[in-house]
Amino acid sequence: MFEARLVQGALLKKVLEAIKDLINEATWDCAATGISLQAMDNSHVSLVSLTLRSDGFDKFRCDRNLSLGMNLGSMGKILKCAANDDIITIKAQDDADTVTFVFEAPNQEKVSDYEMKLMNLDTEHLGIPETDYSVIVKMPASEFQRICRDLSQIGDSVSITCTKDGVRFSSSGDLGTGNIKLSQTANVDKEEESVIIEMQEPVSLNFALRYLNSFTKATPLAAQVQLSLSPDVPLAWFRLISLRLLLSTKLKKLATSDTTWLPKLKMQKNKSFIRQYYVNLSIKIPHCLKDFILHCFNY
């Protein structure tokens, strides 16, 4: 039997809200150490990887490893029936074809339960190599969300340029151009409101704004976002207690002779890979969320 009780039920709702527009179906792998999910979207452009540690739950029981295939749209509809302060419990029997969601009011005056049919999904887990970055920018998550939203009114892509003077976000389109520059600042009282830049070398990369705007839906999970950028780096590794979002640059597809990293990243329905530039956005979130990765590859 599997049972996981989360006192902060709103956390699960926020996580699902951040990923449901990128993937429609996914398998939740349940083990004694926690719950994990890894899935690509239908176009094989984005990859989501998420881990909820068992010690983040009020109660966690997993007698044997289970794989629960779910339609995230349907799961989202059920979670909308829970109030933000409700306690959420997920239950499933061994070899069952359904999963049960139980919502409890804090005062225990109201208890609701919903049953959802499971799906049989083919899944493939990807190995992601570690990577060093040329630039690391830490800034308020809400500010980054605002920048992506504002520049999407101007163009379809954004250029992120980091120098010793600061970080600049630029976009251009039919109606004109837009530029937003942030200088490095330090707030001793509120670290999450600071803009901190750690730079090994200057970097200038371009990214699709529609994916960045999807990524910023995770903003309610954290006060600060970390952007890690580096040229010629295809992937980034995730850290504990963090949310990472990765997006390839909007460049022409160029052939490459360096394919040493390809065996580590085996993807379905795709035989060729293009080495491009990537951005990694890491957001600190509550401790029960170990790792949450979104990878977007522009091929």
Side-chain angles (χ1 to χ4, degrees), residues 106-169:
N107 56 14
Q108 300 297 314
E109 292 181 355
K110 178 183 177 181
V111 178
S112 307
D113 65 88
Y114 298 85
E115 192 174 89
M116 186 178 76
K117 293 181 179 180
L118 295 174
M119 308 173 65
N120 292 321
L121 302 174
D122 293 329
T123 59
E124 184 174 2
H125 289 272
L126 312 178
I128 307 170
E130 296 187 21
T131 303
D132 294 326
Y133 294 98
S134 300
V135 175
I136 295 178
V137 179
K138 297 179 182 179
M139 60 183 294
S142 58
E143 182 64 32
F144 181 72
Q145 182 183 46
R146 188 179 302 109
I147 289 173
C148 293
R149 183 180 63 243
D150 292 348
L151 291 182
S152 64
Q153 306 302 315
I154 305 298
D156 297 329
S157 63
V158 59
S159 173
I160 303 178
T161 303
C162 298
T163 64
K164 61 181 181 180
D165 297 327
V167 55
R168 187 178 74 251
F169 302 85

Side-chain angles (χ1 to χ4, degrees), residues 16-200:
L16 193 66
E17 186 66 26
I19 67 175
K20 68 181 182 65
D21 290 338
L22 292 169
I23 54 176
N24 298 322
E25 301 170 348
T27 297
W28 298 85
D29 295 313
C30 307
T33 56
I35 308 172
S36 61
L37 175 151
Q38 191 181 90
M40 298 189 73
D41 68 343
N42 293 333
S43 61
H44 284 234
V45 172
S46 61
L47 168 68
V48 177
S49 181
L50 161 69
T51 300
L52 295 170
R53 297 189 310 207
S54 59
D55 56 6
F57 292 87
D58 178 56
K59 178 182 179 181
F60 191 90
R61 173 187 175 185
C62 188
D63 298 336
R64 52 170 292 189
N65 292 350
L66 292 177
S67 294
L68 308 177
M70 301 186 197
N71 181 293
L72 298 188
S74 300
M75 182 180 176
K77 291 179 180 179
I78 291 179
L79 290 183
K80 284 184 178 180
C81 298
N84 290 332
D85 59 348
D86 277 358
I87 301 169
I88 297 179
T89 302
I90 307 173
K91 297 180 180 181
Q93 299 292 334
D94 296 344
D95 300 323
D97 59 356
T98 60
V99 60
T100 302
F101 296 89
V102 180
F103 307 142
E104 304 173 62
N107 56 14
Q108 300 297 314
E109 292 181 355
K110 178 183 177 181
V111 178
S112 307
D113 65 88
Y114 298 85
E115 192 174 89
M116 186 178 76
K117 293 181 179 180
L118 295 174
M119 308 173 65
N120 292 321
L121 302 174
D122 293 329
T123 59
E124 184 174 2
H125 289 272
L126 312 178
I128 307 170
E130 296 187 21
T131 303
D132 294 326
Y133 294 98
S134 300
V135 175
I136 295 178
V137 179
K138 297 179 182 179
M139 60 183 294
S142 58
E143 182 64 32
F144 181 72
Q145 182 183 46
R146 188 179 302 109
I147 289 173
C148 293
R149 183 180 63 243
D150 292 348
L151 291 182
S152 64
Q153 306 302 315
I154 305 298
D156 297 329
S157 63
V158 59
S159 173
I160 303 178
T161 303
C162 298
T163 64
K164 61 181 181 180
D165 297 327
V167 55
R168 187 178 74 251
F169 302 85
S170 305
S171 182
S172 60
D174 295 337
L175 65 85
T177 61
N179 297 280
I180 300 174
K181 180 181 177 181
L182 298 179
S183 300
Q184 185 165 238
T185 61
N187 191 322
V188 179
D189 298 328
K190 296 183 179 180
E191 182 182 352
E192 65 274 9
E193 296 182 2
S194 301
V195 176
I196 302 173
I197 302 174
E198 301 173 10
M199 186 180 66
Q200 303 296 329

